[in-house]
Amino acid sequence: MAAELEYESVLCVKPDVSVYRIPPRASNRGYRASDWKLDQPDWTGRLRITSKGKIAYIKLEDKVSGELFAQAPVEQYPGIAVETVTDSSRYFVIRIQDGTGRSAFIGIGFTDRGDAFDFNVSLQDHFKWVKQESEISKESQEMDARPKLDLGFKEGQTIKLSIGNITTKKGGASKPRTARGGGLSLLPPPPGGKVTIPPPSSSVAISNHVTPPPIPKSNHGGSDAALFQTRHHSHPTGSSSEWHWQDIKDGVEE
């Protein structure tokens, strides 16, 4: 099902490529482009590199019609499906396959060195991505295989939380904090360090204030209050209230 959902993407397109029939490898030293007939290519056309899933495909197509000439599936790079030659950076050996399982090795080459570079880098980038995807998939499988931790609370299990000087227990109410020293807590002063004294309360009864009666002034320059006090203390007998008012009257008449 996953293979059906995979789509084909184009990695590289080069409009000019030459194909050569190559002799069998004589030894393990590798292929040499100088052994080929480089001035007489067996076929010329267009090259496309596509990918579908993890596999890359090197497709040799006709320049005009786009008809497929040969195809080389690449499952690993560097690998047996694509090899470089020992004497040039513009030529490669690829293994082509048909639908029946038959395969053959042919040589391909680019006139421009930059096209050969792009061909090489496109394959390297694709299989670098394949390697990263494999590592991510492997790590994901390892994570799934590990036993999962149960971090939930068991039935009846409690925990304690310590916040400053308050220690609470889950499921219970916290105790109120008591004021230290038995006094009232004072608010901090306002910014600037100035303390404003509030005005006196208007709830004080005005009736508590007693205004003394006015004292008339004496024509002799002294106060009648002094005269009143002197006569009051020197009179031995008699009614005090009547004598007070009589003395005051006599003093005013004088």
mmCIF file of all heavy atoms in Angstrom, residues 31-34 36 38 83-93 108-110 113 116:
data_model
loop_
_atom_site.group_PDB
_atom_site.id
_atom_site.type_symbol
_atom_site.label_atom_id
_atom_site.label_comp_id
_atom_site.label_asym_id
_atom_site.label_seq_id
_atom_site.Cartn_x
_atom_site.Cartn_y
_atom_site.Cartn_z
ATOM 1 N N TYR A 31 37.293 0.894 -14.555
ATOM 2 C CA TYR A 31 37.079 1.207 -15.967
ATOM 3 C C TYR A 31 37.895 2.440 -16.354
ATOM 4 O O TYR A 31 38.094 3.356 -15.567
ATOM 5 C CB TYR A 31 35.589 1.480 -16.241
ATOM 6 C CG TYR A 31 34.707 0.254 -16.078
ATOM 7 C CD1 TYR A 31 33.980 0.062 -14.903
ATOM 8 C CD2 TYR A 31 34.600 -0.686 -17.094
ATOM 9 C CE1 TYR A 31 33.163 -1.044 -14.745
ATOM 10 C CE2 TYR A 31 33.776 -1.806 -16.943
ATOM 11 C CZ TYR A 31 33.070 -1.973 -15.772
ATOM 12 O OH TYR A 31 32.272 -3.089 -15.621
ATOM 13 N N ARG A 32 38.295 2.450 -17.647
ATOM 14 C CA ARG A 32 39.046 3.574 -18.196
ATOM 15 C C ARG A 32 38.305 4.071 -19.437
ATOM 16 O O ARG A 32 37.993 3.303 -20.353
ATOM 17 C CB ARG A 32 40.464 3.165 -18.569
ATOM 18 C CG ARG A 32 41.334 2.811 -17.370
ATOM 19 C CD ARG A 32 42.693 2.277 -17.828
ATOM 20 N NE ARG A 32 43.375 3.238 -18.672
ATOM 21 C CZ ARG A 32 44.192 4.191 -18.228
ATOM 22 N NH1 ARG A 32 44.440 4.283 -16.901
ATOM 23 N NH2 ARG A 32 44.786 5.016 -19.056
ATOM 24 N N ALA A 33 37.994 5.365 -19.453
ATOM 25 C CA ALA A 33 37.291 5.937 -20.598
ATOM 26 C C ALA A 33 38.165 5.942 -21.852
ATOM 27 O O ALA A 33 37.645 5.947 -22.980
ATOM 28 C CB ALA A 33 36.849 7.361 -20.274
ATOM 29 N N SER A 34 39.466 5.935 -21.684
ATOM 30 C CA SER A 34 40.359 5.932 -22.850
ATOM 31 C C SER A 34 40.268 4.624 -23.635
ATOM 32 O O SER A 34 40.689 4.581 -24.799
ATOM 33 C CB SER A 34 41.800 6.173 -22.388
ATOM 34 O OG SER A 34 42.209 5.176 -21.467
ATOM 35 N N TRP A 36 37.480 3.351 -24.559
ATOM 36 C CA TRP A 36 36.263 3.411 -25.350
ATOM 37 C C TRP A 36 36.537 4.228 -26.631
ATOM 38 O O TRP A 36 37.519 4.964 -26.725
ATOM 39 C CB TRP A 36 35.115 4.077 -24.576
ATOM 40 C CG TRP A 36 34.877 3.499 -23.187
ATOM 41 C CD1 TRP A 36 35.334 2.315 -22.707
ATOM 42 C CD2 TRP A 36 34.157 4.124 -22.127
ATOM 43 N NE1 TRP A 36 34.932 2.132 -21.414
ATOM 44 C CE2 TRP A 36 34.187 3.241 -21.016
ATOM 45 C CE3 TRP A 36 33.466 5.319 -21.975
ATOM 46 C CZ2 TRP A 36 33.580 3.523 -19.800
ATOM 47 C CZ3 TRP A 36 32.840 5.596 -20.781
ATOM 48 C CH2 TRP A 36 32.890 4.713 -19.699
ATOM 49 N N LEU A 38 35.566 7.192 -27.852
ATOM 50 C CA LEU A 38 34.897 8.399 -27.404
ATOM 51 C C LEU A 38 34.426 9.270 -28.560
ATOM 52 O O LEU A 38 33.447 10.016 -28.415
ATOM 53 C CB LEU A 38 35.826 9.201 -26.493
ATOM 54 C CG LEU A 38 36.291 8.479 -25.221
ATOM 55 C CD1 LEU A 38 37.222 9.370 -24.402
ATOM 56 C CD2 LEU A 38 35.109 8.040 -24.374
ATOM 57 N N GLU A 83 29.278 3.612 -11.452
ATOM 58 C CA GLU A 83 30.693 3.665 -11.116
ATOM 59 C C GLU A 83 31.364 4.766 -11.925
ATOM 60 O O GLU A 83 30.973 5.046 -13.062
ATOM 61 C CB GLU A 83 31.384 2.327 -11.412
ATOM 62 C CG GLU A 83 30.863 1.160 -10.605
ATOM 63 C CD GLU A 83 31.626 -0.124 -10.898
ATOM 64 O OE1 GLU A 83 32.872 -0.093 -10.813
ATOM 65 O OE2 GLU A 83 30.979 -1.135 -11.227
ATOM 66 N N THR A 84 32.354 5.389 -11.341
ATOM 67 C CA THR A 84 33.142 6.391 -12.059
ATOM 68 C C THR A 84 34.345 5.710 -12.722
ATOM 69 O O THR A 84 34.786 4.634 -12.299
ATOM 70 C CB THR A 84 33.644 7.469 -11.097
ATOM 71 O OG1 THR A 84 34.435 6.851 -10.076
ATOM 72 C CG2 THR A 84 32.476 8.201 -10.457
ATOM 73 N N VAL A 85 34.851 6.338 -13.755
ATOM 74 C CA VAL A 85 36.048 5.810 -14.423
ATOM 75 C C VAL A 85 37.275 6.377 -13.716
ATOM 76 O O VAL A 85 37.191 7.365 -12.964
ATOM 77 C CB VAL A 85 36.050 6.174 -15.921
ATOM 78 C CG1 VAL A 85 34.855 5.533 -16.625
ATOM 79 C CG2 VAL A 85 36.028 7.688 -16.130
ATOM 80 N N THR A 86 38.395 5.752 -13.947
ATOM 81 C CA THR A 86 39.610 6.121 -13.227
ATOM 82 C C THR A 86 40.394 7.252 -13.899
ATOM 83 O O THR A 86 41.269 7.842 -13.251
ATOM 84 C CB THR A 86 40.532 4.899 -13.098
ATOM 85 O OG1 THR A 86 40.853 4.400 -14.409
ATOM 86 C CG2 THR A 86 39.851 3.800 -12.292
ATOM 87 N N ASP A 87 40.059 7.577 -15.151
ATOM 88 C CA ASP A 87 40.875 8.544 -15.874
ATOM 89 C C ASP A 87 40.119 9.809 -16.292
ATOM 90 O O ASP A 87 40.672 10.639 -17.015
ATOM 91 C CB ASP A 87 41.499 7.896 -17.120
ATOM 92 C CG ASP A 87 40.450 7.313 -18.048
ATOM 93 O OD1 ASP A 87 39.279 7.197 -17.620
ATOM 94 O OD2 ASP A 87 40.781 6.976 -19.202
ATOM 95 N N SER A 88 38.862 9.986 -15.853
ATOM 96 C CA SER A 88 38.109 11.185 -16.228
ATOM 97 C C SER A 88 36.945 11.375 -15.257
ATOM 98 O O SER A 88 36.414 10.405 -14.700
ATOM 99 C CB SER A 88 37.585 11.088 -17.659
ATOM 100 O OG SER A 88 36.788 12.210 -17.988
ATOM 101 N N SER A 89 36.533 12.640 -15.066
ATOM 102 C CA SER A 89 35.384 12.954 -14.209
ATOM 103 C C SER A 89 34.101 13.150 -15.028
ATOM 104 O O SER A 89 33.044 13.391 -14.449
ATOM 105 C CB SER A 89 35.667 14.223 -13.393
ATOM 106 O OG SER A 89 35.900 15.329 -14.252
ATOM 107 N N ARG A 90 34.171 13.032 -16.370
ATOM 108 C CA ARG A 90 32.996 13.263 -17.206
ATOM 109 C C ARG A 90 32.344 11.963 -17.686
ATOM 110 O O ARG A 90 31.308 12.013 -18.350
ATOM 111 C CB ARG A 90 33.386 14.094 -18.437
ATOM 112 C CG ARG A 90 33.831 15.488 -18.075
ATOM 113 C CD ARG A 90 34.049 16.372 -19.303
ATOM 114 N NE ARG A 90 35.211 15.939 -20.073
ATOM 115 C CZ ARG A 90 35.136 15.454 -21.319
ATOM 116 N NH1 ARG A 90 33.976 15.308 -21.910
ATOM 117 N NH2 ARG A 90 36.241 15.101 -21.940
ATOM 118 N N TYR A 91 32.912 10.823 -17.300
ATOM 119 C CA TYR A 91 32.388 9.540 -17.804
ATOM 120 C C TYR A 91 32.073 8.600 -16.640
ATOM 121 O O TYR A 91 32.784 8.575 -15.630
ATOM 122 C CB TYR A 91 33.396 8.883 -18.760
ATOM 123 C CG TYR A 91 33.643 9.708 -20.003
ATOM 124 C CD1 TYR A 91 34.678 10.645 -20.045
ATOM 125 C CD2 TYR A 91 32.850 9.539 -21.136
ATOM 126 C CE1 TYR A 91 34.910 11.395 -21.175
ATOM 127 C CE2 TYR A 91 33.078 10.289 -22.281
ATOM 128 C CZ TYR A 91 34.100 11.219 -22.283
ATOM 129 O OH TYR A 91 34.326 11.976 -23.419
ATOM 130 N N PHE A 92 31.014 7.800 -16.845
ATOM 131 C CA PHE A 92 30.542 6.870 -15.819
ATOM 132 C C PHE A 92 30.132 5.564 -16.489
ATOM 133 O O PHE A 92 29.860 5.515 -17.694
ATOM 134 C CB PHE A 92 29.320 7.448 -15.076
ATOM 135 C CG PHE A 92 29.577 8.774 -14.421
ATOM 136 C CD1 PHE A 92 29.420 9.960 -15.148
ATOM 137 C CD2 PHE A 92 29.966 8.855 -13.086
ATOM 138 C CE1 PHE A 92 29.641 11.181 -14.544
ATOM 139 C CE2 PHE A 92 30.185 10.075 -12.493
ATOM 140 C CZ PHE A 92 30.029 11.244 -13.219
ATOM 141 N N VAL A 93 30.085 4.525 -15.672
ATOM 142 C CA VAL A 93 29.581 3.224 -16.112
ATOM 143 C C VAL A 93 28.319 2.934 -15.315
ATOM 144 O O VAL A 93 28.340 2.974 -14.075
ATOM 145 C CB VAL A 93 30.618 2.106 -15.904
ATOM 146 C CG1 VAL A 93 30.030 0.746 -16.267
ATOM 147 C CG2 VAL A 93 31.873 2.378 -16.743
ATOM 148 N N ILE A 108 28.477 6.078 -20.181
ATOM 149 C CA ILE A 108 27.854 7.345 -20.533
ATOM 150 C C ILE A 108 28.860 8.455 -20.287
ATOM 151 O O ILE A 108 29.755 8.337 -19.433
ATOM 152 C CB ILE A 108 26.554 7.614 -19.738
ATOM 153 C CG1 ILE A 108 26.849 7.703 -18.235
ATOM 154 C CG2 ILE A 108 25.514 6.536 -20.015
ATOM 155 C CD1 ILE A 108 25.656 8.146 -17.390
ATOM 156 N N GLY A 109 28.714 9.546 -21.048
ATOM 157 C CA GLY A 109 29.638 10.665 -20.895
ATOM 158 C C GLY A 109 28.947 11.978 -21.230
ATOM 159 O O GLY A 109 27.944 12.015 -21.947
ATOM 160 N N PHE A 110 29.474 13.061 -20.665
ATOM 161 C CA PHE A 110 28.942 14.395 -20.876
ATOM 162 C C PHE A 110 30.012 15.256 -21.516
ATOM 163 O O PHE A 110 31.195 15.189 -21.158
ATOM 164 C CB PHE A 110 28.500 15.025 -19.555
ATOM 165 C CG PHE A 110 27.450 14.233 -18.817
ATOM 166 C CD1 PHE A 110 27.819 13.305 -17.847
ATOM 167 C CD2 PHE A 110 26.101 14.407 -19.088
ATOM 168 C CE1 PHE A 110 26.863 12.591 -17.151
ATOM 169 C CE2 PHE A 110 25.131 13.685 -18.409
ATOM 170 C CZ PHE A 110 25.519 12.773 -17.441
ATOM 171 N N ARG A 113 31.672 19.508 -18.405
ATOM 172 C CA ARG A 113 32.075 18.989 -17.095
ATOM 173 C C ARG A 113 31.065 19.348 -16.014
ATOM 174 O O ARG A 113 30.894 18.601 -15.047
ATOM 175 C CB ARG A 113 33.458 19.522 -16.738
ATOM 176 C CG ARG A 113 34.163 18.763 -15.613
ATOM 177 C CD ARG A 113 35.542 19.341 -15.385
ATOM 178 N NE ARG A 113 36.354 19.261 -16.583
ATOM 179 C CZ ARG A 113 37.073 18.183 -16.939
ATOM 180 N NH1 ARG A 113 37.053 17.107 -16.173
ATOM 181 N NH2 ARG A 113 37.791 18.183 -18.043
ATOM 182 N N ALA A 116 28.345 16.707 -15.757
ATOM 183 C CA ALA A 116 28.814 15.529 -15.030
ATOM 184 C C ALA A 116 28.787 15.775 -13.516
ATOM 185 O O ALA A 116 28.437 14.888 -12.725
ATOM 186 C CB ALA A 116 30.222 15.162 -15.487
#
